[in-house]
Amino acid sequence: MSCFKTQGVGVGLTLSACVAVGEPLPESSLLGRYGVTPEQLPVATQVQTSDEKSPRLFQLRPEVPLVDIRFGERTAPEAVGNISIDNMARRDYERCLRRHGELLLRESGQPNPGCE
């Protein structure tokens, strides 16, 4: 038997067991089953709103983005002394500048005069 057939048989047996064990829901309401009428339920309380700001239980702050992109800060990568790492960093920096230029051309249709 292949893996898919085995999993299919397992899913089929699980579904058939759920159908066999499941009972239909009763026709009467839940309140009727316990002998309670809707009039016996407690009345909902009114929440008073005031103009004063109430202290919040939770202080919600926006999440800090995982990546912070700043277009104004363009600095060449620092040299670490290893020629392989320096060349890789330089190529990545140049590729990033090219992609940024392509993006600006695609978005505005003309190059941005403030960019390099």
Side-chain angles (χ1 to χ4, degrees), residues 12-58:
L13 289 174
T14 304
L15 287 176
S16 62
C18 290
V19 170
V21 172
E23 298 176 5
L25 295 174
E27 296 297 326
S28 64
S29 70
L30 189 60
L31 294 176
R33 288 176 57 189
Y34 293 104
V36 178
T37 62
E39 291 81 25
Q40 293 174 330
L41 293 175
V43 179
T45 59
Q46 296 290 332
V47 177
Q48 295 180 359
T49 58
S50 64
D51 293 338
E52 299 176 13
K53 280 192 163 184
S54 61
R56 294 188 175 197
L57 184 60
F58 300 104

Side-chain angles (χ1 to χ4, degrees), residues 5-104:
K5 288 182 183 178
T6 306
Q7 290 177 355
V9 170
V11 169
L13 289 174
T14 304
L15 287 176
S16 62
C18 290
V19 170
V21 172
E23 298 176 5
L25 295 174
E27 296 297 326
S28 64
S29 70
L30 189 60
L31 294 176
R33 288 176 57 189
Y34 293 104
V36 178
T37 62
E39 291 81 25
Q40 293 174 330
L41 293 175
V43 179
T45 59
Q46 296 290 332
V47 177
Q48 295 180 359
T49 58
S50 64
D51 293 338
E52 299 176 13
K53 280 192 163 184
S54 61
R56 294 188 175 197
L57 184 60
F58 300 104
Q59 299 296 326
L60 300 178
R61 293 183 200 101
E63 286 187 27
V64 178
L66 295 175
V67 177
D68 189 20
I69 299 174
R70 297 179 184 162
F71 293 116
E73 300 176 6
R74 290 203 184 125
T75 58
E78 297 178 10
V80 294
N82 186 337
I83 193 163
S84 299
I85 295 175
D86 290 341
N87 287 338
M88 181 186 64
R90 182 185 45 79
R91 282 193 308 265
D92 287 345
Y93 178 72
E94 290 171 357
R95 183 179 60 202
C96 181
L97 288 177
R98 272 196 317 271
R99 294 285 167 97
H100 184 256
E102 291 170 4
L103 176 68
L104 289 175

